[in-house]
Amino acid sequence: GPRREITRKEFESIWNGDVIVFSKYIRWLKNKEIVTLFKAGPRIFFPLKEKDVGEIIEGKEVICNFTYNNIGSKPLETNISSDCTCTKAIISEKEIGPGKQGKIKVQFNTKGHIGPQHIKVNIFSNDPDNRLIVLSLRVFVKSKTNVLQNRI
């Protein structure tokens, strides 16, 4: 429709706090121009929620890092839990400000686990649209015994 100017008071009465940012400098999107919507309130965004680390020998520890961003306008609060005692998840900060990045380190102890493993870590946040996000780590654990027999 035709453009029209509005007063600041009109603008403030209809604006919900959302901001649109145009960017072409995000490496993991191969420098394509994208539109990111920064919403009012805390908003959590994970560029990657699942990782496959391939094969590993039983007894070794798998360490995997996930990053996330607060693309909202208010502080983002997070807590984490894992579904197994063999998995330890460490969060860099429980609260990050708008536009900031956080990190989650997932450590999986493969001792006693053989074959395909699917590790899940639950991320709880104060983002009203994403109260729970599940991170996933896949690994195939080879038996130490089978690996030694194949070498003989």
Side-chain angles (χ1 to χ4, degrees):
R3 282 178 60 171
R4 73 175 183 91
E5 290 188 23
I6 61 172
T7 66
R8 180 183 179 115
K9 190 172 184 172
E10 283 179 290
F11 174 77
E12 289 173 349
S13 72
I14 60 173
W15 183 53
N16 67 358
D18 291 354
V19 179
I20 297 176
V21 176
F22 296 88
S23 174
K24 60 181 177 181
Y25 301 106
I26 299 177
R27 275 182 267 134
W28 46 267
L29 288 176
K30 300 186 184 190
N31 292 331
K32 293 180 183 172
E33 189 161 346
I34 60 150
V35 177
T36 305
L37 185 60
F38 283 73
K39 294 191 166 198
R43 301 294 173 176
I44 194 167
F45 173 74
F46 280 87
L48 197 59
K49 295 179 194 168
E50 185 172 317
K51 293 189 178 184
D52 187 336
V53 295
E55 295 182 350
I56 193 162
I57 298 171
E58 179 200 3
K60 302 268 184 183
E61 186 174 62
V62 175
I63 297 175
C64 203
N65 294 301
F66 292 87
T67 60
Y68 63 98
N69 299 290
N70 178 2
I71 62 170
S73 62
K74 302 273 188 215
L76 175 71
E77 298 169 6
T78 51
N79 275 308
I80 55 178
S81 72
S82 60
D83 59 355
C84 177
T85 57
C86 59
T87 305
K88 183 177 175 184
I90 303 164
I91 195 160
S92 61
E93 296 178 59
K94 291 200 180 245
E95 183 177 304
I96 60 170
K100 301 294 183 190
Q101 184 178 76
K103 294 178 184 166
I104 296 171
K105 179 179 180 180
V106 178
Q107 296 172 272
F108 170 57
N109 184 347
T110 63
K111 186 176 180 179
H113 298 274
I114 305 294
Q117 304 296 314
H118 187 197
I119 299 9
K120 294 180 183 176
V121 175
N122 298 314
I123 311 301
F124 303 95
S125 80
N126 63 336
D127 177 339
D129 294 334
N130 291 293
R131 296 275 184 204
L132 170 65
I133 291 179
V134 179
L135 301 180
S136 177
L137 179 62
R138 294 181 184 275
V139 61
F140 187 88
V141 182
K142 288 182 167 184
S143 167
K144 213 187 265 190
T145 310
N146 289 346
V147 171
L148 290 174
Q149 287 175 350
N150 289 342
R151 288 185 184 167
I152 297 174

